[in-house]
């Protein structure tokens, strides 16, 4: 999921894939044994607040 978001930030994967990336996170949570309720909360969290993390930044700051 994080790698897919990074690909979106770098412009290598269209932002339209964000929902699929979030669904993949949900699937992996369940596969790894997370409860359905908690996996649902994780999914809701990334759907609600994950947009800026998948967007191409306007300005990239680099430390010296």
């Amino acid at each position: 999921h994080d790698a897919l978001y990074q690909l979106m930030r770098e412009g290598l994967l269209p932002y339209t894939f964000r929902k699929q990336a979030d669904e993949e996170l949900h699937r992996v949570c369940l596969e790894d044994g997370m409860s359905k309720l908690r996996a649902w909360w994780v999914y809701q969290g990334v759907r609600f607040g994950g947009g800026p993390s998948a967007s191409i930044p306007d300005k990239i700051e680099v430390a010296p």
Side-chain angles (χ1 to χ4, degrees), residues 10-62:
E10 293 178 3
L12 299 172
L13 190 65
Y15 185 81
T16 55
F17 279 84
R18 181 173 163 244
K19 185 172 187 210
Q20 289 174 276
D22 295 344
E23 290 170 350
E24 179 66 9
L25 173 64
H26 183 253
R27 186 191 66 75
V28 170
C29 287
L30 292 172
E31 187 177 286
D32 286 348
M34 186 180 286
S35 73
K36 288 182 181 181
L37 178 61
R38 187 168 183 187
W40 180 81
W41 275 111
V42 169
Y43 176 75
Q44 294 303 315
V46 294
R47 291 305 302 152
F48 178 75
S53 296
S55 300
I56 298 173
D58 294 331
K59 179 182 175 186
I60 297 176
E61 296 183 24
V62 180

